[in-house]
Amino acid sequence: MKFSEIPYERIDFQKLKQDFYSLMERMERAVSGEEQFEIHREYYRLSNHVLTEMNLAMIRNDIDMTDEYYSEEQKHYDRNMPIFQNLVVEYQKKLYFSRFRPYLEERIGRVAFKNISLAMEAMDEKLIPLMQEENALSTAYNKLLATAKIDWEGEKLNLSLMQPYLTSPDRSVRERAWKKYTAFFSEHREELDDFYEKLVLNRTKQGRMMGHGNFLPLGYARMNRNCYGPSEIRSFRKQVEQEIVPLAELLHERRRERLGLSRLNYIDEGIYFPNGNPRPVGTAEEILAAGKRMYDELSPETARFMNTMCEMELFDVLGRKNKRTGGYMTMLADYRVPFIFANFNGSSGDADVITHECGHAFQGYLTADLPIREHNDLTMETAETHSMSMEFFTEPWMPLLFGERAEDYLRMHLEATLSFLPYGVMVDEFQNIVYEDPGLSPKERRRVWRDLERRYKPHLDYSGNPYFEEGGFWQKQHHIYDSPFYYIDYCIAGTDALQYKNWMDRDWKSAWESYLKLCRAGASDFFDVLIRDAGLRNPFEEGCLRDIARGIREREAL
């Protein structure tokens, strides 16, 4: 069955409530752990179906955010998913407090029960109206960005389709493109401020309703931080500032010399070579074909994965007007397959979809048949380790995607990965500051952001762009609006990926075997145990980032 042929049916949440109540009553009447586990298997079927229909509606809405039918379906789930989340937590309490818990914990795993405890901290029926409002605000923000119409050389382009011009080798084109791009955000500044103000106040109110002084404890619980907390993340941010920021600044200086510029301006931030960034060779169809060949050759497991993806047409990657910005992978649990959404725009980011998002999808494909559904409930730093590491494992096949400029791509990819870490922890620190002090005004939030940029990205020069100079750049980062505290997971995972990079340079085969082991493990254990068993160091460990930086300095002669 192809994706376009998959039927969609709106979930009736009133009926769903009755189904859940029936499950809970049966759990209470059960006379053994074995009986409760069989009931729990029915919960898998029920919840998987809800998530499948919700994801189908989300994908089809994201493909065209002006489609009235799926726009209404998305609103339906925005309203009702908090109700579903509450039902799930109420059901999970029956497991958590079961008199047969030792048996259930043996079958399902201790990680699942730790996650249930976090879910109970993160969800309560009284939060539902606020969560519905939060969902609606996030959807409206994304619709604003998706429906942007930027007048460019006689065309109306959205934000994603502007990307090739923002990284044009012609500096005058880049300058004009950035002015047009920034003008959209500047013109909508008040609207963007209003969205974020409402989201911050909404989430703060949720946190306080759960007995906290602010949103942070609730936000951490929702991110399933089940084996580390704020102190570890603060220490990690400090390590990035001490070890990675100086290295990244050396790479920016080398990039400046390579570009032949006396000084880097913000319009040069995404450009790596004087003749322009390497771009994938060929059409979208040819890029996908190259990706198929790459995964055919990489391993038998990746070959089977990519054949399934192509046969079922589980990609929507072509950039189009009215399509949501960004990209993601999600699972269609009823069909046990992943789906990849992206916006090809002719830039190197098109190749990143074939590596990064396919890393997510490959792991989801490998574990789709696991009998314990909770083993697929990945924490985000683990999930992003799968995807960011795949970016490096596929490097030997980059000539298929970039032809003669494959080496340029590899250099750009390494520099971009290192340079991302300061940006990623800056996003995380910004969110911590905002939610610790929700009374900050929009102007004060912009000042906080600009101060953080000066610490984590001191080379930045926003001359000629008052919107960015005043601290407005963060408003283009949809994670800040949609997914509070998610962004640090990319940084933790990036540290794992850089470890794999060093490992595969020494012994590609053993590094790949470790990666397969990590992917197959899913969420069967805690993150720190999973990476230890895979042979990696914990990114929070003192000295981990210092050793990574030292290895890169030696390899790059910096």
Side-chain angles (χ1 to χ4, degrees), residues 292-311:
K292 185 177 186 308
R293 179 180 166 188
M294 175 176 73
Y295 285 114
D296 280 346
E297 296 175 3
L298 198 158
S299 77
E301 295 87 355
T302 55
R304 288 192 292 271
F305 153 72
M306 185 53 82
N307 284 336
T308 298
M309 295 292 289
C310 292
E311 287 169 8

Side-chain angles (χ1 to χ4, degrees), residues 224-501:
N224 251 5
R225 306 285 188 222
N226 59 21
C227 64
Y228 58 89
S231 62
E232 287 86 357
I233 290 180
R234 279 194 299 270
S235 175
F236 180 78
R237 291 199 305 255
K238 184 177 179 181
Q239 286 190 68
V240 170
E241 187 171 8
Q242 291 175 340
E243 306 295 343
I244 303 299
V245 168
L247 174 57
E249 290 302 302
L250 285 175
L251 293 173
H252 286 304
E253 176 60 16
R254 188 169 73 176
R255 184 167 61 87
R256 181 195 65 78
E257 293 174 355
R258 195 161 61 232
L259 293 172
L261 298 172
S262 59
R263 184 169 184 172
L264 287 173
N265 186 260
Y266 78 96
I267 67 170
D268 310 309
E269 190 67 2
I271 192 82
Y272 288 83
F273 298 95
N275 59 330
N277 293 345
R279 297 175 184 237
V281 177
T283 63
E285 291 75 16
E286 289 168 331
I287 293 168
L288 285 172
K292 185 177 186 308
R293 179 180 166 188
M294 175 176 73
Y295 285 114
D296 280 346
E297 296 175 3
L298 198 158
S299 77
E301 295 87 355
T302 55
R304 288 192 292 271
F305 153 72
M306 185 53 82
N307 284 336
T308 298
M309 295 292 289
C310 292
E311 287 169 8
M312 292 185 65
E313 297 179 356
L314 295 167
F315 294 95
D316 190 296
V317 297
L318 189 63
R320 296 185 298 275
K321 295 174 181 177
N322 300 323
K323 188 176 179 182
R324 176 177 170 161
T325 59
Y328 57 79
M329 183 284 292
T330 192
M331 292 296 295
L332 301 174
D334 282 354
Y335 302 90
R336 299 181 181 181
V337 292
F339 184 90
I340 290 177
F341 174 94
N343 281 271
F344 276 11
N345 53 30
S347 73
S348 62
D350 298 354
D352 296 339
V353 173
I354 302 300
T355 59
H356 182 99
E357 298 303 342
C358 281
H360 285 306
F362 174 62
Q363 191 281 328
Y365 171 83
L366 280 180
T367 61
D369 291 323
L370 285 177
I372 304 301
R373 217 286 300 281
E374 287 83 359
H375 290 180
N376 272 320
D377 292 338
L378 303 174
T379 48
M380 290 302 100
E381 77 291 302
T382 303
E384 296 302 342
T385 295
H386 302 144
S387 59
M388 297 182 80
S389 299
M390 183 64 88
E391 295 175 26
F392 286 109
F393 278 112
T394 51
E395 284 189 342
W397 287 269
M398 287 304 103
L400 291 176
L401 291 166
F402 291 96
E404 295 178 355
R405 297 205 65 191
E407 286 300 318
D408 284 349
Y409 173 77
L410 298 185
R411 176 164 297 284
M412 179 178 73
H413 180 231
L414 179 63
E415 291 185 7
T417 301
L418 261 297
S419 299
F420 171 79
L421 293 180
Y423 176 74
V425 298
M426 181 173 71
V427 168
D428 185 70
E429 188 164 342
F430 174 74
Q431 291 183 97
N432 274 264
I433 292 169
V434 165
Y435 286 106
E436 283 173 354
D437 189 358
L440 291 172
S441 68
K443 186 175 181 180
E444 288 169 329
R445 289 183 190 129
R446 286 192 283 274
R447 188 181 304 126
V448 166
W449 177 264
R450 192 66 187 98
D451 288 344
L452 289 170
E453 283 182 319
R454 293 186 179 100
R455 274 176 50 205
Y456 286 105
K457 302 187 75 173
H459 69 281
L460 269 181
D461 176 9
Y462 285 133
S463 295
N465 192 318
Y467 178 78
F468 285 168
E469 179 58 42
E470 292 169 10
F473 186 89
W474 64 271
Q475 292 189 311
K476 67 182 283 294
Q477 187 62 61
H478 72 86
H479 297 76
I480 293 176
Y481 286 78
D482 293 344
S483 309
F485 311 124
Y486 189 150
Y487 226 58
I488 195 70
D489 294 274
Y490 290 115
C491 302
I492 299 166
T495 305
D496 291 338
L498 288 165
Q499 291 186 73
Y500 269 130
K501 168 62 177 169

Side-chain angles (χ1 to χ4, degrees), residues 149-160:
K149 290 181 173 57
I150 297 174
D151 188 3
W152 180 258
E153 316 239 329
E155 288 187 272
K156 295 287 186 182
L157 302 183
N158 66 12
L159 297 172
S160 295

Side-chain angles (χ1 to χ4, degrees), residues 67-223:
D67 183 307
E68 292 184 8
Y69 176 78
Y70 281 109
S71 178
E72 287 303 311
E73 294 307 289
Q74 184 61 50
K75 290 176 183 176
H76 174 69
Y77 292 104
D78 285 346
R79 289 190 301 270
N80 287 291
M81 286 311 288
I83 295 170
F84 170 66
Q85 290 169 270
N86 188 61
L87 286 169
V88 168
V89 171
E90 290 302 310
Y91 166 80
Q92 288 176 331
K93 287 178 182 177
K94 304 298 181 185
L95 296 177
Y96 194 81
F97 296 111
S98 168
R99 64 186 184 276
F100 306 115
R101 176 167 164 174
Y103 174 86
L104 294 170
E105 195 162 334
E106 180 68 25
R107 292 295 303 270
I108 300 170
R110 61 195 180 102
V111 178
F113 280 85
K114 174 61 177 177
N115 291 345
I116 290 172
S117 72
L118 289 171
M120 291 190 295
E121 293 176 26
M123 185 66 219
D124 190 282
E125 188 172 9
K126 63 191 175 188
L127 298 180
I128 289 175
L130 286 170
M131 293 174 71
Q132 291 170 327
E133 178 187 63
E134 180 186 9
N135 288 343
L137 286 167
S138 292
T139 296
Y141 163 78
N142 280 292
K143 187 167 186 177
L144 173 65
L145 267 57
T147 55
K149 290 181 173 57
I150 297 174
D151 188 3
W152 180 258
E153 316 239 329
E155 288 187 272
K156 295 287 186 182
L157 302 183
N158 66 12
L159 297 172
S160 295
L161 296 176
M162 284 294 294
Q163 191 61 36
Y165 306 104
L166 298 174
T167 54
S168 168
D170 185 328
R171 204 160 187 258
S172 65
V173 171
R174 292 204 301 276
E175 184 174 17
R176 285 189 290 113
W178 272 107
K179 283 183 178 178
K180 291 272 189 179
Y181 186 90
T182 310
F184 169 81
F185 289 92
S186 182
E187 289 164 9
H188 293 276
R189 173 185 284 186
E190 289 187 11
E191 197 172 352
L192 293 165
D193 282 340
D194 187 56
F195 277 136
Y196 197 58
E197 176 76 8
K198 288 176 178 175
L199 284 165
V200 169
L201 294 179
N202 174 296
R203 290 166 179 154
T204 299
K205 189 172 182 180
Q206 290 187 52
R208 289 173 178 165
M209 288 177 73
M210 294 297 283
H212 308 300
N214 56 44
F215 174 68
L216 267 74
L218 181 59
Y220 269 63
R222 286 184 177 169
M223 285 305 300

